[in-house]
Amino acid sequence: MIDLFLPSFHVHSVFSLVIYHLSQKTFTVEEAVETIGFGRFHIALFLIMGSTGVVEAMEIMLIAVVSPLIRCEWQLSDWQVALVTTMVFFGYMIFSILFGLLADRYGRWKILLISFLWGAYFSLLTSFSPSYIWFVFLRAMVGCGVSGHAQGLIIKTEFLPTKYRGYMLPLSQVFWLAGSLLIIGLASVVNPTIGWRWLIRIASVPGIILILAFKFIPESARYNVSTGNNKAAVETLERIAKMNRSVMPEGILVESVNERRGRFSDLLDSKYLRTSLQIWIIWLGISFAYYGVILASAELLERDMVCSLQTAAAAELGDDSEESHSPCHCRLFAPSDYRIMIISTIGEIALNPLNILGINFLGRRLSLSITMGCTALFFLFLNICTTSTGLIGFLFMLRALVAANFNTIYIYTAEVYPTTMRALGMGTSGSLCRIGAMVAPFIAQVLMSASFLGALCLFSGVCVVCAISAFTLPIETKGRASCQLKGFFS
């Protein structure tokens, strides 16, 4: 008789357990982030993770300000100078995919820390380069390390409430601007006095200091949930709520565990295939244009390629000057050149208010297509024979537009992919975009010397293709809050 009642008793117990769990309130990480809201934690997050942009900008911009010096020291030709930048981005390209895969499997925070340690170590070694070959190799290793800095943006994105992403992420451009201005300012003082080797050593210091601040930033709660570590996710969210003087949502954290994480085949799934392909085209083109502007600016100033500056240079040096016939064109930046670089670099935040408005009101796709179209136009404006002031104006607007392009595509890419493949999506996009950065030096530093208009037309044409690709993206991520974003951030 007892055995006859056991099955019914078991069924009743299971049924009661199911009813109990169904009666419990539940919440997702996205709902917790939205409930806790914006506060002191996010300010600290913004400052610390945003500072990764300072370090990255200094390492990337470093090549532009030391190129004239290494050209003279090792008597380099145009293609050898261009190869330095290309190899930096080659290392960046290879390790962007690797770090993206590792971050989706082992965590964003760990990979970010490793990338900073790697970058600082090889950057210091670069300052002791005994030859051109060693310099190229060590800078390529620095590029490998810098590629992991994108995990800082992913951590920021995954902790920010939805309505603040379109405002806070573009403001991160301020940190990149600060890094760019800092390295140019340091170069104007250090290069003429104690040399480029000490410039590299000094530029490594901010990255080393920032490593100490990483302990204040936790691992992404969304990453923890995606690996089934709900306990760690809850502890992180409770810490954020306490720091923000807010409250957690009622109930228990519930989120499905995804066994398949960070696989490249997911990016090519039918759901994301078209989006991924168009995003890769846009990333490649934006990077090509961005680093093209930076390197072309330095090249214009170093070689006096602007017509108004050519006339002045010819009057000062004469047609038969030794410098004009130097095969390696050994000419260092003058103080006025550094000033022009600083003014044009400030342009990177000039369009930030309009960029933020465009992203939040026009949407990511339309905003990006407009700024890419304008970028194409201003590249062609550089061919206009103008004064030094006119050149500064054109370069200022170009830097503003290419920075706006990067802001928008960063936000779009971080929003369009779900948590399980976001780091890989960002890493793959960042990796492929480095192809554009690898090609840019040979256009801005080699082709531009042979055909100035041809180089400008090439830059402009690529921007037009990107504008069309942005306008036809199949998914608009603007306003994907709450219920819509649950699918993307789960």
Side-chain angles (χ1 to χ4, degrees):
M1 289 293 293
I2 296 176
D3 291 339
L4 293 175
F5 285 100
L6 282 176
S8 61
F9 175 77
H10 178 69
V11 171
H12 177 73
S13 298
V14 172
F15 182 74
S16 299
L17 188 63
V18 171
I19 294 297
Y20 172 76
H21 281 291
L22 288 175
S23 64
Q24 290 289 302
K25 290 184 178 180
T26 62
F27 63 89
T28 64
V29 174
E30 178 67 24
E31 290 169 340
V33 169
E34 298 296 332
T35 301
I36 294 171
F38 186 86
R40 291 189 297 174
F41 168 80
H42 296 94
I43 295 174
L45 176 74
F46 178 74
L47 293 175
I48 295 173
M49 292 294 97
S51 296
T52 62
V54 174
V55 178
E56 184 173 356
M58 292 183 71
E59 292 294 353
I60 297 299
M61 288 290 294
L62 185 68
I63 301 300
V65 294
V66 302
S67 290
L69 292 137
I70 63 172
R71 184 197 296 270
C72 290
E73 181 169 328
W74 290 314
Q75 294 295 293
L76 305 178
S77 59
D78 290 342
W79 72 267
Q80 289 175 308
V81 175
L83 184 63
V84 175
T85 306
T86 296
M87 290 306 295
V88 169
F89 289 118
F90 177 75
Y92 198 121
M93 180 183 69
I94 299 301
F95 271 68
S96 282
I97 295 178
L98 178 61
F99 280 148
L101 285 167
L102 293 176
D104 279 332
R105 293 181 180 274
Y106 302 108
R108 285 81 158 105
W109 190 91
K110 293 176 184 176
I111 298 304
L112 183 64
L113 178 63
I114 291 172
S115 71
F116 262 80
L117 291 171
W118 179 302
Y121 175 71
F122 281 103
S123 184
L124 284 173
L125 284 184
T126 305
S127 67
F128 299 98
S129 300
S131 65
Y132 168 73
I133 298 299
W134 271 107
F135 184 85
V136 172
F137 170 74
L138 292 172
R139 290 313 296 178
M141 291 297 101
V142 173
C144 294
V146 171
S147 67
H149 294 187
Q151 300 308 317
L153 175 75
I154 294 174
I155 292 174
K156 278 192 297 182
T157 302
E158 294 185 339
F159 275 126
L160 276 173
T162 306
K163 69 177 182 179
Y164 290 97
R165 290 178 195 139
Y167 296 94
M168 296 301 293
L169 295 180
L171 288 177
S172 300
Q173 188 65 28
V174 173
F175 294 98
W176 181 277
L177 171 68
S180 300
L181 293 176
L182 182 57
I183 194 65
I184 296 172
L186 284 172
S188 66
V189 175
V190 176
N191 279 347
T193 53
I194 54 180
W196 62 268
R197 295 179 186 274
W198 275 104
L199 176 65
I200 294 177
R201 292 163 194 160
I202 295 171
S204 302
V205 173
I208 297 171
I209 294 174
L210 190 58
I211 291 172
L212 303 177
F214 285 169
K215 65 179 181 180
F216 298 106
I217 301 300
E219 179 58 88
S220 166
R222 287 195 175 97
Y223 165 77
N224 285 329
V225 164
S226 72
T227 58
N229 193 356
N230 285 26
K231 181 181 178 181
V234 170
E235 290 174 353
T236 297
L237 292 169
E238 287 175 344
R239 172 186 165 188
I240 296 172
K242 182 178 179 180
M243 191 171 178
N244 284 5
R245 297 176 181 175
S246 184
V247 294
M248 288 275 289
E250 296 181 4
I252 59 175
L253 178 63
V254 175
E255 204 105 20
S256 59
V257 178
N258 295 276
E259 298 296 335
R260 296 179 69 255
R261 303 187 309 276
R263 298 190 180 184
F264 183 76
S265 59
D266 295 338
L267 299 175
L268 301 178
D269 182 80
S270 58
K271 183 178 180 181
Y272 294 105
L273 178 60
R274 181 182 162 191
T275 300
S276 294
L277 292 177
Q278 290 186 229
I279 283 177
W280 293 343
I281 291 172
I282 295 169
W283 272 94
L284 190 152
I286 289 177
S287 182
F288 178 69
Y290 182 84
Y291 294 106
V293 171
I294 292 175
L295 297 172
S297 301
E299 199 71 7
L300 286 169
L301 297 173
E302 184 185 350
R303 293 178 176 271
D304 290 336
M305 294 175 71
V306 183
C307 59
S308 61
L309 298 179
Q310 286 175 342
T311 304
E316 291 180 13
L317 299 174
D319 292 336
D320 297 323
S321 66
E322 181 181 345
E323 180 180 317
S324 65
H325 289 89
S326 172
C328 294
H329 198 91
C330 187
R331 179 187 181 277
L332 305 183
F333 288 137
S336 59
D337 296 331
Y338 285 113
R339 285 195 295 270
I340 292 176
M341 292 175 71
I342 288 174
I343 294 172
S344 62
T345 301
I346 293 174
E348 293 205 5
I349 62 167
L351 290 183
N352 250 13
L354 288 177
N355 187 214
I356 292 172
L357 289 174
I359 287 171
N360 288 283
F361 292 99
L362 297 179
R364 281 60 161 152
R365 294 182 301 184
L366 182 57
S367 177
L368 182 57
S369 61
I370 291 173
T371 54
M372 285 302 309
C374 292
T375 305
L377 191 62
F378 272 89
F379 262 118
L380 296 178
F381 285 169
L382 284 181
N383 193 51
I384 298 175
C385 186
T386 182
T387 62
S388 178
T389 303
L391 172 66
I392 293 173
F394 290 149
L395 292 177
F396 184 90
M397 282 304 300
L398 267 174
R399 290 295 287 269
L401 288 165
V402 293
N405 296 335
F406 255 130
N407 280 341
T408 310
I409 196 60
Y410 257 118
I411 293 171
Y412 183 88
T413 307
E415 290 178 333
V416 79
Y417 291 119
T419 302
T420 53
M421 50 193 283
R422 183 173 302 118
L424 178 61
M426 289 292 293
T428 305
S429 299
S431 178
L432 291 174
C433 90
R434 300 309 159 186
I435 296 175
M438 289 166 62
V439 175
F442 288 94
I443 305 303
Q445 295 177 311
V446 181
L447 178 60
M448 188 167 281
S449 299
S451 176
F452 186 63
L453 180 59
L456 295 180
C457 287
L458 184 56
F459 281 120
S460 181
V462 170
C463 291
V464 170
V465 172
C466 291
I468 296 171
S469 185
F471 188 75
T472 57
L473 280 167
I475 301 172
E476 172 57 71
T477 61
K478 171 180 172 286
R480 287 183 169 238
S482 301
C483 60
Q484 288 178 295
L485 273 172
K486 286 179 189 176
F488 278 80
F489 288 103
S490 60

